[in-house]
Amino acid sequence: MLDDLDRRILRTLQQDPAMSIPDLADLLSMTPARVSRRLDKLRETGVMRGTRAVIDWVALGYAVEVSLRVTLDKTQTRAFDDFIAAAREIAEVIEIQTFLGRVDVRLSVIARDIGHYQAIYRSRILTLPHIADIEALMHVARIKSDETLPV
């Protein structure tokens, strides 16, 4: 699906997503028009979903991250849909993942400090629908957080 040129483009953009098309073309010894066509193809096929700003939430004053493992009451037919819709509305929930197994959903929650987390937990998390069980894991350190793929 990807040829060597596509891989070179993706590797370069993973290192510097803000690189301009002319600079990318110059680095890869290509014309800007050819790079632009390749990028369009990568977007059209869904390989590249776009670029984004990665914001360091710790730098914004959010010093606490908690991972919540949630088991839902699956006797309720809309348990997943209702829970996920409500969890999406909580600004401090920065990630929602679903699983097969004993744990159904994992939420990543950020807070300014423990007091702020407790307030979010009591007023927003515990009011989410269809929770059968919930386990909180306090993040201590992020050892690896890299979305760069080996292309």
Side-chain angles (χ1 to χ4, degrees):
M1 184 163 116
L2 295 178
D3 63 15
D4 185 54
L5 181 54
D6 291 332
R7 286 184 184 86
R8 288 175 45 215
I9 290 170
L10 291 173
R11 278 193 301 271
T12 304
L13 288 177
Q14 284 185 119
Q15 293 172 353
D16 184 3
M19 185 178 287
S20 70
I21 290 177
D23 289 345
L24 181 60
D26 188 48
L27 183 70
L28 299 175
S29 302
M30 299 171 55
T31 66
R34 186 171 179 211
V35 169
S36 184
R37 284 192 303 274
R38 287 293 184 125
L39 288 171
D40 288 344
K41 184 186 101 182
L42 290 168
R43 287 184 188 103
E44 288 168 10
T45 59
V47 171
M48 237 177 86
R49 294 185 294 167
T51 56
R52 64 181 180 176
V54 178
I55 299 169
D56 183 352
W57 46 264
V58 174
L60 292 176
Y62 290 87
V64 172
E65 181 179 2
V66 178
S67 182
L68 298 174
R69 296 194 300 193
V70 180
T71 303
L72 299 175
D73 177 2
K74 291 177 279 296
T75 64
Q76 304 295 317
T77 57
R78 293 198 37 86
F80 276 90
D81 295 336
D82 293 347
F83 179 88
I84 290 170
R88 285 178 189 262
E89 298 299 317
I90 303 172
E92 293 84 1
V93 172
I94 60 170
E95 185 175 28
I96 302 171
Q97 295 177 330
T98 60
F99 296 93
L100 295 174
R102 191 183 71 74
V103 172
D104 297 310
V105 180
R106 187 186 70 79
L107 304 178
S108 287
V109 180
I110 58 172
R112 290 185 297 278
D113 53 37
I114 291 295
H116 183 221
Y117 168 73
Q118 285 180 320
I120 294 165
Y121 184 78
R122 290 178 181 159
S123 67
R124 306 291 310 276
I125 302 297
L126 289 179
T127 63
L128 291 170
H130 311 299
I131 294 176
D133 187 39
I134 190 166
E135 177 185 10
L137 301 169
M138 179 71 66
H139 284 238
V140 174
R142 187 170 311 282
I143 306 303
K144 181 178 179 182
S145 179
D146 190 358
E147 293 186 11
T148 303
L149 297 176
V151 290

